[in-house]
Amino acid sequence: MLQISNLHAQLEEQKILNGINLTVNPGEIHVILGPNGSGKSTLGRVILGDDKYQVPEGEIKFNGSDFTDLEPSERAQAGYFLSFQSPPEIDGVSVREFLFAAKKASDPAFSSSYKFKKGLKETFTDLRLPEDFTERETNLGFSGGERKKAEVAAMLTLDPQLAFLDEIDSGVDIDTIREIGSQLRTFTEDKTKSLIIVSHSDKLLQEITPTHVHVFLDGKVIETGGHELVEKIQAEGFDGYKPKVKGFEVI
């Protein structure tokens, strides 16, 4: 589904990604772990085509097609979804209006407003959000948990092939993590779909089992494995991956 080869990216003069190689097949769940500033969030934005980042080298292919020169809207139409750590507030636009516009934009063949409203109601019920939540202004005054649930609702509504979830579990309580985990399990029951999850916590990973775990450091994938890497990092942190700093003698 997704093939990333030798991907480099920078923000102005600052190099952030330094040769990322990553392959995601249908039905897989990839988890990215790494310290702050290691390039995890940047990867998601570069796959989307955020024009703040320059890509001097590398290749991104999605279902065999070159993503490199496509606009973000075209990448979304192709089946890619990115959730944000801090989604913006949109005054005067309800959640329902926002998601309906996004659905129409990402799926030109979509036309059934009745089917959309019915599906949205079911999604918000599953996420334990009140029915009138859809009429609230998008992200305006939302709690941390409500913002994260709204991002999951957007993913389920747009129904992508590949979703990149950037810290969807940060700043939320254990009940919210369980509710999000339940929806992600449902999403991945369809083995044509895949997830990439960036996380700093093992709580969500107790709800959904990854097929692949990648450790990022300095814009590179430095180790790939299974769930044992999650356990290793929870026990030891990332210090074992960082270069040792030699001591010095003061004279």
Side-chain angles (χ1 to χ4, degrees):
M1 182 185 294
L2 178 70
Q3 179 73 52
I4 296 174
S5 304
N6 193 34
L7 183 64
H8 292 251
Q10 60 191 58
L11 183 62
E12 297 178 347
E13 299 301 317
Q14 181 183 4
K15 294 182 179 179
I16 303 177
L17 301 183
N18 296 295
I20 295 291
N21 295 293
L22 181 68
T23 299
V24 179
N25 295 307
E28 294 180 345
I29 301 171
H30 290 246
V31 169
I32 298 176
L33 306 174
N36 292 331
S38 59
K40 305 182 301 297
S41 297
T42 296
L43 177 62
R45 289 178 173 270
V46 170
I47 297 172
L48 181 67
D50 189 330
D51 61 8
K52 290 189 297 185
Y53 297 92
Q54 296 81 50
V55 180
E57 188 176 354
E59 184 177 66
I60 304 171
K61 286 191 173 181
F62 190 77
N63 288 328
S65 299
D66 188 358
F67 247 23
T68 309
D69 295 324
L70 297 184
E71 293 296 321
S73 59
E74 295 174 307
R75 302 183 194 208
Q77 288 176 353
Y80 177 69
F81 172 88
L82 173 68
S83 77
F84 295 97
Q85 286 189 33
S86 301
E89 297 178 350
I90 307 177
D91 292 354
V93 179
S94 72
V95 173
R96 176 181 53 78
E97 292 169 329
F98 173 71
L99 291 180
F100 187 66
K103 181 69 173 177
K104 287 196 297 183
S106 64
D107 182 4
F110 173 77
S111 61
S112 174
S113 59
Y114 172 77
K115 184 178 179 181
F116 169 82
K117 290 178 181 178
K118 183 174 182 291
L120 193 63
K121 181 179 179 180
E122 292 172 354
T123 295
F124 277 77
T125 298
D126 291 340
L127 286 166
R128 297 189 180 182
L129 289 168
E131 188 172 343
D132 62 356
F133 188 89
T134 61
E135 301 308 316
R136 291 175 61 182
E137 294 175 289
T138 304
N139 293 318
L140 195 64
F142 286 13
S143 67
E146 288 174 333
R147 285 180 182 240
K148 299 299 183 180
K149 286 184 179 182
E151 289 290 283
V152 173
M155 180 197 77
L156 296 172
T157 300
L158 298 180
D159 194 28
Q161 284 185 284
L162 174 64
F164 190 112
L165 304 179
D166 192 359
E167 295 192 26
I168 199 71
D169 54 344
S170 66
V172 298
D173 60 36
I174 189 63
D175 290 333
T176 298
I177 287 177
R178 286 171 178 162
E179 289 154 6
I180 289 174
S182 174
Q183 295 308 303
L184 296 186
R185 289 195 301 273
T186 299
F187 179 78
T188 54
E189 285 175 359
D190 183 342
K191 297 306 179 184
T192 67
K193 301 183 182 301
S194 299
L195 290 174
I196 301 174
I197 301 173
V198 173
S199 178
H200 282 298
S201 168
D202 67 338
K203 300 300 183 185
L204 180 60
L205 305 184
Q206 294 173 10
E207 300 294 322
I208 185 165
T209 303
T211 58
H212 301 72
V213 178
H214 310 280
V215 180
F216 270 39
L217 189 68
D218 296 329
K220 296 180 180 179
V221 179
I222 59 171
E223 188 171 6
T224 294
H227 200 275
E228 74 280 356
L229 278 183
V230 177
E231 298 169 356
K232 175 183 176 182
I233 290 170
Q234 287 298 318
E236 303 174 9
F238 296 105
D239 286 345
Y241 294 101
K242 297 177 182 178
K244 303 298 182 185
V245 179
K246 295 182 178 179
F248 59 91
E249 184 180 356
V250 178
I251 300 177

